[in-house]
């Protein structure tokens, strides 16, 4: 049993962060006030963690400690998300990429490894395609960007908008439970954190901007195709799960097959947040890959 679960089942973000030396702060990314969680020494290789749509840096609270031993780790709230600024208008992938690059420039990071979940994986992949000189290694974790399933898109949009239009405990919890294979992994701290974020003034309009990629016309002009994935030069790992709600394992394998030399692995018993649901397994696979070590669970495709 993971050590962040008490005998009576109580889970806390502070238990997740127990023993972690980290800071929370804000930086000015060329006019965009950007919130971050930082762990690790700044003289170590940089690692940037990117959350999914409607999410925030807390997606990675169970991964900071394991990665900070080896990396200079930055988990950020992407533009329009979390406690970062939320400019008006629809957000497309190029805007997310531009924001991440501005964060890197502000921090003086010339090159970093990236791990991205869902939307974060889509952004990280596009960044690796267009700016290969800025990417050391790449992990695409149940990443978006390779397909446009109208049923999944509508479900994600409806759950996400309901959660900000009426940020009740019930609706916020339902949105988070959609991410998990084991619904009990959604703890009170996580719900309360997202509830506070979603209750911010202007969040309804911001979420509409975040949901733009769930509109078919916008999605199609941002989607990544085989020729795009084929341009990725960084060593890549595509990590999928047995119970991902956005696409089955075959889609993850297809994504990996389009990236030259990519590794592919599947985590059992997890949904869209394997880094949270089974942090021990994720951290082992993830750290090994980022350090260039053998990943027994992964295979080439």
């Amino acid at each position: 049993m993971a050590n962040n679960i008490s005998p009576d089942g109580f889970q806390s973000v502070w238990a997740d962060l127990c023993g972690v030396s980290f800071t929370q702060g804000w930086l000015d990314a060329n006019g965009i006030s950007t919130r971050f969680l930082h762990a690790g020494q700044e003289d170590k290789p940089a690692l940037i963690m990117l959350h999914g749509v409607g999410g925030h840096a807390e997606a990675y609270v169970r991964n900071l400690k394991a990665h900070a031993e080896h990396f200079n780790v930055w988990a950020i709230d992407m533009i329009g998300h979390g406690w970062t600024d939320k400019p008006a208008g629809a957000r497309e992938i190029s805007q997310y990429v531009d924001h991440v690059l501005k964060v890197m420039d502000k921090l003086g990071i010339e090159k970093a490894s990236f791990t991205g979940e869902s939307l974060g994986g889509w952004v990280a992949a596009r960044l690796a395609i267009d700016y290969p000189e800025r990417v050391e290694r790449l992990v695409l974790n149940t990443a978006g960007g390779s397909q446009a399933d109208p049923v999944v898109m509508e479900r994600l949009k409806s759950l996400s908008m309901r959660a900000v239009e009426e940020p009740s405990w019930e609706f916020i919890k339902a949105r988070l439970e959609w991410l998990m294979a084991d619904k009990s992994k959604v703890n009170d701290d996580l719900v309360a954190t997202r509830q506070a974020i979603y209750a911010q003034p202007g969040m309804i309009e911001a979420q509409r901007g975040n949901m733009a990629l769930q509109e078919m016309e916008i999605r199609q002009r941002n989607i990544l195709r085989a020729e795009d994935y084929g341009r990725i030069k960084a060593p890549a790992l595509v990590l999928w799960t047995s119970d991902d709600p956005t696409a089955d394992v075959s889609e993850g394998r297809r994504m990996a097959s389009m990236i030259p030399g990519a590794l592919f692995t599947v985590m059992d018993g997890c949904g869209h947040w394997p880094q949270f649901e089974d942090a021990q397994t994720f951290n082992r696979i993830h750290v090994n890959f980022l350090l260039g070590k053998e990943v027994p669970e992964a295979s080439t495709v």
Side-chain angles (χ1 to χ4, degrees), residues 71-103:
F71 300 98
N72 174 26
V73 184
W74 300 87
I76 68 169
D77 289 348
M78 290 195 292
I79 189 171
H81 290 73
W83 302 104
T84 288
D85 281 350
K86 300 165 183 64
R91 271 173 279 284
E92 301 191 35
I93 295 300
S94 62
Q95 292 162 284
Y96 291 111
V97 168
D98 183 62
H99 175 237
V100 173
L101 289 171
K102 287 173 179 174
V103 169

Side-chain angles (χ1 to χ4, degrees), residues 99-291:
H99 175 237
V100 173
L101 289 171
K102 287 173 179 174
V103 169
M104 292 177 73
D105 291 343
K106 180 68 174 184
L107 293 171
I109 297 172
E110 289 296 323
K111 194 171 190 177
S113 289
F114 285 87
T115 183
E117 173 265 326
S118 196
L119 170 65
W122 194 345
V123 173
R126 186 77 253 180
L127 199 152
I129 292 161
D130 292 340
Y131 301 92
E133 72 281 2
R134 306 298 298 264
V135 181
E136 188 70 44
R137 283 179 169 261
L138 177 67
V139 180
L140 304 180
N141 169 17
T142 62
S146 64
Q147 62 169 1
D149 184 329
V151 175
V152 172
M153 291 159 61
E154 179 55 36
R155 178 63 172 160
L156 177 56
K157 182 180 177 181
S158 63
L159 281 172
S160 299
M161 290 309 304
R162 183 178 70 169
V164 294
E165 289 167 352
E166 186 180 337
S168 66
W169 194 268
E170 176 188 2
F171 289 164
I172 297 289
K173 188 176 181 182
R175 173 62 174 84
L176 287 163
E177 286 180 339
W178 180 82
L179 299 167
M180 313 287 183
D182 180 354
K183 311 306 182 189
S184 71
K185 296 291 179 68
V186 177
N187 61 52
D188 287 356
D189 278 4
L190 195 58
V191 176
T193 298
R194 186 163 292 199
Q195 187 176 45
I197 290 169
Y198 280 14
Q200 291 176 91
M203 192 63 209
I204 294 175
E205 188 60 33
Q207 192 81 313
R208 289 195 185 102
N210 296 338
M211 289 296 117
L213 289 164
Q214 310 312 315
E215 301 295 334
M216 187 61 75
E217 182 180 351
I218 295 174
R219 192 179 190 91
Q220 286 292 349
R221 68 171 174 255
N222 285 271
I223 207 161
L224 301 179
R225 308 186 191 280
E227 57 269 27
D228 298 312
Y229 285 112
R231 290 168 52 198
I232 293 177
K233 293 181 172 62
L237 170 67
V238 176
L239 188 151
W240 220 258
T241 66
S242 59
D243 297 276
D244 182 70
T246 66
D248 62 24
V249 169
S250 65
E251 182 60 22
R253 190 178 299 278
R254 186 179 77 89
M255 183 185 295
S257 73
M258 294 185 283
I259 301 172
L263 297 177
F264 178 70
T265 193
V266 178
M267 283 179 56
D268 289 328
C270 294
H272 208 46
W273 266 28
Q275 80 284 352
F276 190 90
E277 282 197 85
D278 185 358
Q280 278 190 329
T281 300
F282 180 89
N283 289 339
R284 182 181 69 249
I285 294 170
H286 204 253
V287 169
N288 280 342
F289 172 75
L290 292 173
L291 291 176

